[in-house]
Amino acid sequence: MSVRSIRRLSAFAALLSVAAALAACGGKGASEAYTGPGWYLEKPYLLVVAGPRVFAGPFSYDKCEEERAKIGGDAATQMLCVQHVGKPTKHGLY
């Protein structure tokens, strides 16, 4: 293999991995999921590309905690109940 073809292959692999990472973080964001004031069940990401992913809401706080407990396992510990009084604004890349 020539050096030029190796560079093309590595550039293509890097582009593909970035596209896969962006697609994995995609989902319904807080500003799109907002339907009214209340508590929303969200999963934050360490690498904030698309913002936190919203799974359900709006709830009362107790109902939100019940929904989080229904998920169970390790995923439930990664979820947060976040209160949105008004429609969330976009910050940063998302």
Side-chain angles (χ1 to χ4, degrees):
M1 267 184 146
S2 69
V3 173
R4 199 157 100 182
S5 64
I6 292 173
R7 286 183 185 162
R8 282 186 195 157
L9 183 62
S10 63
F12 178 72
L15 182 64
L16 187 62
S17 65
V18 168
L22 290 175
C25 292
K28 203 169 200 184
S31 59
E32 291 86 19
Y34 181 81
T35 58
W39 292 85
Y40 288 81
L41 188 59
E42 295 182 0
K43 181 176 182 182
Y45 290 101
L46 182 62
L47 176 65
V48 178
V49 175
R53 186 169 176 200
V54 176
F55 287 91
F59 300 119
S60 67
Y61 180 75
D62 295 330
K63 180 69 176 166
C64 185
E65 287 295 329
E66 286 176 20
E67 292 293 322
R68 189 171 72 91
K70 283 182 190 176
I71 294 171
D74 193 34
T77 60
Q78 297 172 356
M79 300 282 194
L80 295 174
C81 289
V82 180
Q83 185 179 28
H84 293 289
V85 180
K87 186 168 182 157
T89 57
K90 292 187 175 186
H91 298 287
L93 296 174
Y94 65 94

